[in-house]
Amino acid sequence: MKNSTKLLSLDNHKDYLGVKTDGAQFRIYLLDENIIRIRGTFDDEFAPEESYALVKTAWDDVTDEFMADERKKVTPIPVEVKETDDGQYLVSNGKYQLHIHKDPFYFEIEDPEGNIVHSDVPKRAFVEDDNGRRTHYSKMGDHEKFYGFGEKSGKLNKYRRRMRMHNTDSLGWDATQSDPLYKMIPFYIDFNTDNNTVSGLYYNNSNDSVFDMDAEHSNYWLRYSYFQTDGGDLDVFFIGGPTIKDVVEHYTDLTGKSAMMPLSSFGYMGSTMFYSELEEGDDEAILNFVDNCQKNDIPVDGFFLSSGYVSDEQDGKRYFFRWNKRRFPDPEQFVNDLKKRGVLVAPNIKPGILLTHPLDAEFAAGDAYVKDANDDQNQVNQYWGGPGHFIDFTKEAGRQEWSKQMTESLLKIGVTSIWNDNNEYETVDGDATVYMEGNKDKKMDDVRPLMSTIMAKTAHTTIHAYDENARPYVINRAGFAGIQRYAQTWAGDNFTSWDSVKYNIPTILGMGLSGVANQGCDIGGFYGPLPEPEMFVRWVQNGIFQPRFSIHSANTDNTVTEPWTFPEYTKYISAAIKLRYTLVPYFYSLLYEASTKGSPIMRPLVYEFQSDPKVADESFEFMLGASLLVANVVDEGQTQKDVYLPAGATWLDLKTNKLYEGGQTITIPVDLSSIPMFLRSGGIIPRSPRLTNIHKQVIDQLDLLVEPSVDSTFDLYEDDGENMDYKKGKFLVTHVTSQADPEGVTLTFDRQGDYTTKVKEMDLSVYCPKIAPINVKVAGKELHRYLNHDEYMQAADGWYFDGETRQAKVRYQNPGDQKYTANLEFTLKDLISIQ
């Protein structure tokens, strides 16, 4: 065993600080004022820098050429070292101070207010055991709130959890406790509620590893947590706060922001394995599904095509990039028929090529495969359907062969959406050889979770090579830190149960805090029996708020979960999905926020209300963006529900229009139609009331729901929604500001960008709890007040006070001005006094 107990020497290279101990040696980089890197190794020399996860670096990396289109190299803050009288060295990045203790050796990090936000365990900071496992131990203090860790089961807070970092195919996983799942993101957020300090740790290591958050206890070391990896460096990035929002933003500065998916990705995506496993006529069955959606008043914009479309007509094996012509006689016509209906198709593809695959020899000739441990044969391991070879996405030859086949079989028939599935590489031997950008010394154990991430990037580059202006829609099951740059993700093959309905919520929230803002879970349960009607309704009512919304099943009782499976309940399914479509402009603006700030779309309450200690452990209520609190019914048979409303805001019940002060728990009645939603004070939510198909319709009407009691802002984002012109500046951000005073409310609309909005009609729904407006002006023009609702609904512009909702309804034709205001005057009109 090697243990770093004593500091031996420091060597200041200015761009980094070299530190040697009696165990490990370290390089410390002050990447910026929020990020400190401590890279430690027990080897004699540091290995070359090799990372597909980082988009911000200050050093040369083997992957620089491959990552050139998205990596930014910065100049680190120069290192200055001060020695103190009490036996330590100090290094500062201008905001945080790194303490390097000499004997015993350990690191501490201090924030600008003097709080210790991270500390190693003295005498046991960095250890290599006799099995070669390397461990970083951190002091716990009184900390009990830990969030993130990527895709994990159970509640939001992972205190007292021991979690494995590994990608696995977790068919039918238990939403309360299964571990590991499909994705591996070795990052967490440490929230100290005693002093309201927050920091994060990211371990840039893709080997199998374990986090232990005070599950293990030793009387010698008292309370501690640790990260333990089976190989590679202990490469630790400290991520500063001071808030949870700040940590997530700074972490995504390091690993990348979420990709701008097409607008249509926020539509309902139909899917089931059943439709692609019919003996014939699968194309007609899917087209019929889309037509049935329309007949049942169910909006739909896409279909995830399961892998049965490539099943061989003779042996039934899945041979990707080859269509089963009995099931799909004319694939191009099938794709076009769906497009005519306003529906995209996202075909399922997998990176394992069976030995019996007709293209196996072609892939082998192109040197596309992972090699065996001796680097002289293509690696063979069990895959879905039999023994197979595996694409090596870390080498250019593998990517080229994959791109060629994707282009020929999918892109050329009009596909621009790719569903990457079964890409955990779980069954591949750990000592198999991979060629990380030409470095054949790497083994599968070093890069396993990276394969799926690079597979997603390869889909992007392939689509752009074929059509440089097409906007890719990529969906991934597996991934590593940084997967958010390329793919919308989902948490794999969940089980049909009430636990999944409920506990899938914190799984998504944890992913959001791990940088993956665009995530979802299969609605209705992928694996298991058909859900009961009540369960299915509640699952859909909850699922409509997930960034990825897909009812997807492979039921174990010969059933198919469809929106109309329970005819008496279809009205609830239709109402919920149509509610989602009204929120599409809000979702898209939140995706823009994720792409620029890293903000989650679905957010835990603690993300928005960090100062309220009562929300630190809340797992099942959540915020959609900053404005909307959702408290879905996720337990069976409920007729009433307790809802905690966070302190620091007032809350408007969008069903009853009753206003509540925050910081209290209320009890509300619920029935099968209930979707409890609460608008935050200052909330601004853009809605599209007439939208039923994103592909075929233009959002030419917007309705802004506004709670104006406190000043607030919201950035409304618009672009074409389907091409890459936004990268050339063809987008529009309307900065909406709401300002309240005793005389009224002023909404300011300030537009920035070169995109011309398609919105022709603007509607404002402004909550007025005490007094109705007496006058409304938009862009300096006074609008007519209608006292008759029907007359208002027929008018091109004007306003009306809805007493039932206590909202001022304002309608006007969207001005062409770059900046304009809407003023609602609340002066009380005296109808009694005689002058």
Side-chain angles (χ1 to χ4, degrees):
M1 184 178 78
K2 296 179 182 179
N3 189 0
S4 299
T5 61
K6 183 182 297 185
L7 177 67
L8 300 180
S9 66
L10 296 180
D11 188 7
N12 190 352
H13 297 261
K14 292 302 181 182
D15 56 339
Y16 71 90
L17 178 67
V19 177
K20 287 191 176 182
T21 73
D22 55 349
Q25 58 176 320
F26 303 87
R27 288 179 177 175
I28 297 169
Y29 292 86
L30 308 176
L31 195 57
D32 59 33
E33 66 171 6
N34 301 303
I35 302 175
I36 298 174
R37 182 192 189 192
I38 301 172
R39 183 188 181 194
T41 185
F42 287 89
D43 298 331
D44 293 336
E45 300 290 337
F46 282 94
E49 299 277 8
E50 299 166 327
S51 177
Y52 292 100
L54 304 178
V55 296
K56 184 175 185 177
T57 64
W59 45 84
D60 292 335
D61 192 289
V62 170
T63 67
D64 278 343
E65 183 177 353
F66 177 64
M67 297 283 291
D69 60 330
E70 50 185 336
R71 176 167 287 161
K72 178 183 179 182
K73 185 178 288 188
V74 300
T75 301
I77 296 171
V79 176
E80 294 184 7
V81 183
K82 296 180 181 179
E83 188 171 5
T84 67
D85 296 334
D86 58 350
Q88 59 179 293
Y89 293 100
L90 300 180
V91 174
S92 175
N93 66 351
K95 185 176 179 181
Y96 290 91
Q97 191 157 246
L98 175 67
H99 298 246
I100 307 172
H101 294 264
K102 299 179 183 178
D103 190 4
F105 167 79
Y106 66 101
F107 294 115
E108 278 185 322
I109 299 177
E110 180 183 356
D111 74 5
E113 284 70 45
N115 301 300
I116 299 299
V117 290
H118 171 77
S119 177
D120 300 335
V121 175
K123 300 182 181 180
R124 201 193 192 195
F126 296 85
V127 177
E128 181 182 61
D129 67 17
D130 293 336
N131 293 315
R133 296 175 299 190
R134 296 168 173 185
T135 307
H136 176 217
Y137 290 91
S138 300
K139 288 176 66 175
M140 293 281 290
D142 295 325
H143 300 201
E144 295 182 353
K145 312 299 178 188
F146 301 97
Y147 313 122
F149 304 96
E151 192 172 76
K152 292 296 173 184
S153 63
K155 294 184 178 180
L156 181 71
N157 182 11
K158 305 307 184 197
Y159 174 57
R160 292 274 169 89
R161 285 282 302 270
R162 191 172 192 270
M163 295 160 288
R164 185 181 177 203
M165 294 284 119
H166 177 74
N167 298 61
T168 187
D169 183 344
S170 304
L171 177 67
W173 56 281
D174 183 331
T176 65
Q177 61 186 5
S178 286
D179 183 72
L181 299 178
Y182 301 85
K183 298 168 196 68
M184 175 176 166
I185 302 178
F187 164 75
Y188 72 90
I189 297 170
D190 180 350
F191 177 27
N192 186 338
T193 55
D194 290 339
N195 55 19
N196 203 29
T197 59
V198 182
S199 62
L201 291 182
Y202 167 62
Y203 291 86
N204 190 39
N205 185 310
S206 51
N207 288 265
D208 279 9
S209 54
V210 169
F211 280 101
D212 188 304
M213 310 312 292
D214 199 33
E216 180 178 296
H217 183 79
S218 166
N219 194 45
Y220 287 99
W221 311 107
L222 301 179
R223 298 184 65 218
Y224 57 86
S225 63
Y226 65 77
F227 170 83
Q228 183 179 82
T229 178
D230 289 350
D233 290 341
L234 290 170
D235 191 5
V236 191
F237 287 77
F238 168 83
I239 314 290
T243 68
I244 294 173
K245 290 183 181 181
D246 293 325
V247 171
V248 174
E249 181 170 2
H250 301 153
Y251 166 71
T252 52
D253 287 340
L254 184 67
T255 62
K257 311 298 183 186
S258 291
M260 281 300 296
M261 296 290 169
L263 180 64
S264 59
S265 67
F266 287 111
Y268 163 43
M269 300 292 153
S271 187
T272 174
M273 286 191 69
F274 191 88
Y275 286 137
S276 61
E277 296 294 338
L278 302 172
E279 286 303 312
E280 59 184 359
D282 302 57
D283 53 351
E284 292 298 328
I286 292 170
L287 295 172
N288 188 53
F289 167 84
V290 173
D291 293 341
N292 277 330
C293 282
Q294 184 175 3
K295 291 176 184 177
N296 285 277
D297 201 19
I298 306 286
V300 63
D301 269 273
F303 194 88
F304 292 156
L305 184 61
S306 295
S307 57
Y309 79 99
V310 298
S311 293
D312 188 75
E313 295 170 30
Q314 269 68 51
D315 64 16
K317 302 290 187 181
R318 283 165 168 76
Y319 297 146
F320 290 93
F321 307 123
R322 289 170 62 90
W323 288 78
N324 181 314
K325 293 301 180 69
R326 187 167 63 237
R327 296 176 176 181
F328 296 87
D330 189 338
E332 185 170 8
Q333 184 63 48
F334 167 66
V335 172
N336 288 332
D337 286 343
L338 283 175
K339 286 183 178 180
K340 290 175 184 177
R341 289 166 168 80
V343 172
L344 66 82
V345 61
N348 180 293
I349 56 176
K350 310 178 193 298
I353 305 299
L354 300 180
L355 300 188
T356 53
H357 195 306
L359 294 175
D360 177 60
E362 187 171 340
F363 276 112
D367 194 25
Y369 291 140
V370 172
K371 300 291 185 180
D372 64 10
N374 297 321
D375 190 30
D376 56 10
Q377 301 291 328
N378 293 322
Q379 177 71 24
V380 177
N381 284 105
Q382 181 63 29
Y383 198 56
W384 199 29
H389 295 131
F390 298 85
I391 304 297
D392 184 355
F393 285 103
T394 71
K395 70 177 169 183
E396 182 61 24
R399 297 190 291 261
Q400 285 182 355
E401 286 299 316
W402 189 253
S403 296
K404 181 176 71 174
Q405 300 300 337
M406 186 190 304
T407 300
E408 291 299 319
S409 71
L410 298 177
L411 304 191
K412 285 188 175 181
I413 64 170
V415 170
T416 57
S417 303
I418 300 296
W419 173 12
N420 291 325
D421 198 9
N422 294 80
N423 53 355
E424 294 79 25
Y425 281 72
E426 178 185 5
T427 62
V428 183
D429 290 353
D431 60 356
T433 303
V434 299
Y435 281 63
M436 181 181 277
E437 308 310 319
N439 177 10
K440 64 179 181 179
D441 294 330
K442 306 302 291 184
K443 297 298 181 181
M444 178 56 65
D445 275 344
D446 300 317
V447 302
R448 194 181 308 274
L450 293 168
M451 285 293 182
S452 49
T453 304
I454 309 168
M455 183 182 183
K457 180 177 173 66
T458 302
H460 274 255
T461 56
T462 303
I463 291 169
H464 284 151
Y466 184 74
D467 181 354
E468 64 180 2
N469 207 33
R471 192 184 306 191
Y473 178 25
V474 178
I475 308 98
N476 252 50
R477 191 170 81 170
F480 187 68
I483 185 60
Q484 66 270 11
R485 304 196 302 265
Y486 315 119
Q488 181 187 76
T489 64
W490 93 106
D493 301 337
N494 58 358
F495 186 71
T496 305
S497 68
W498 279 100
D499 279 344
S500 293
V501 177
K502 187 172 185 175
Y503 281 85
N504 282 173
I505 296 172
T507 295
I508 296 171
L509 298 179
M511 283 289 279
L513 294 182
S514 305
V516 185
N518 195 347
Q519 161 87 343
C521 293
D522 284 343
I523 306 305
F526 176 80
Y527 186 74
L530 184 72
E532 295 296 321
E534 181 193 1
M535 181 195 298
F536 183 49
V537 169
R538 295 306 191 197
W539 215 325
V540 172
Q541 290 170 338
N542 183 50
I544 61 170
F545 299 103
Q546 299 176 13
R548 173 198 181 265
F549 175 60
S550 178
I551 300 170
H552 182 39
S553 66
N555 295 343
T556 57
D557 56 2
N558 294 330
T559 60
V560 184
T561 307
E562 297 173 302
W564 48 83
T565 295
F566 308 106
E568 294 300 315
Y569 297 81
T570 302
K571 61 184 178 181
Y572 302 115
I573 305 300
S574 172
I577 297 177
K578 287 192 288 187
L579 172 60
R580 177 184 178 87
Y581 271 70
T582 68
L583 294 172
V584 163
Y586 188 47
F587 272 109
Y588 201 49
S589 295
L590 295 178
L591 181 61
Y592 170 73
E593 184 181 344
S595 76
T596 53
K597 297 181 180 179
S599 311
I601 295 175
M602 277 178 61
R603 307 171 182 181
L605 299 189
V606 70
Y607 181 90
E608 290 288 338
F609 299 96
Q610 183 176 312
S611 297
D612 184 349
K614 293 184 179 180
V615 304
D617 285 309
E618 177 56 51
S619 296
F620 308 115
E621 293 180 26
F622 59 89
M623 298 294 295
L624 187 66
S627 295
L628 188 65
L629 187 151
V630 180
N632 274 313
V633 182
V634 291
D635 291 303
E636 184 177 6
Q638 283 192 287
T639 58
Q640 62 181 28
K641 181 175 176 62
D642 293 337
V643 179
Y644 180 73
L645 301 172
T650 56
W651 299 93
L652 176 65
D653 186 330
L654 290 180
K655 181 176 181 180
T656 65
N657 299 298
K658 185 175 180 180
L659 200 62
Y660 296 93
E661 288 295 323
Q664 64 171 319
T665 298
I666 63 171
T667 302
I668 60 172
V670 295
D671 57 30
L672 200 54
S673 68
S674 297
I675 305 177
M677 296 179 290
F678 298 83
L679 182 64
R680 180 183 187 172
S681 49
I684 300 174
I685 299 178
R687 301 177 294 182
S688 49
R690 293 197 293 253
L691 185 64
T692 58
N693 185 272
I694 302 170
H695 285 105
K696 297 178 72 173
Q697 292 175 285
V698 171
I699 300 177
D700 58 5
Q701 178 194 16
L702 274 185
D703 181 4
L704 257 64
L705 177 62
V706 181
E707 201 296 323
S709 61
V710 298
D711 293 350
S712 62
T713 62
F714 181 79
D715 285 341
L716 172 65
Y717 179 81
E718 299 171 78
D719 64 21
D720 182 80
E722 60 183 23
N723 60 40
M724 298 301 295
D725 285 350
Y726 75 97
K727 286 284 192 179
K728 305 169 187 174
K730 294 291 184 181
F731 63 88
L732 185 67
V733 177
T734 303
H735 191 64
V736 183
T737 303
S738 174
Q739 293 179 295
D741 60 51
E743 300 297 321
V745 174
T746 299
L747 296 172
T748 302
F749 299 81
D750 189 359
R751 294 169 171 153
Q752 298 177 357
D754 293 334
Y755 179 74
T756 301
T757 181
K758 295 178 182 177
V759 176
K760 297 178 180 178
E761 178 186 301
M762 288 290 297
D763 292 280
L764 309 177
S765 298
V766 183
Y767 183 63
C768 307
K770 297 179 180 179
I771 184 174
I774 190 63
N775 187 39
V776 175
K777 291 182 179 179
V778 175
K781 176 185 175 183
E782 186 171 331
L783 299 185
H784 176 72
R785 177 175 186 173
Y786 289 89
L787 300 178
N788 182 288
H789 177 264
D790 291 339
E791 291 180 359
Y792 167 72
M793 292 302 293
Q794 297 299 318
D797 53 44
W799 69 279
Y800 168 80
F801 183 73
D802 184 333
E804 184 176 353
T805 63
R806 294 210 61 87
Q807 293 176 7
K809 301 287 190 177
V810 181
R811 175 172 297 152
Y812 57 92
Q813 300 307 298
N814 201 9
D817 304 3
Q818 181 177 348
K819 186 175 183 179
Y820 71 93
T821 60
N823 305 92
L824 283 70
E825 182 185 345
F826 288 143
T827 305
L828 184 62
K829 183 175 183 179
D830 189 349
L831 300 177
I832 303 298
S833 300
I834 300 175
Q835 300 298 327

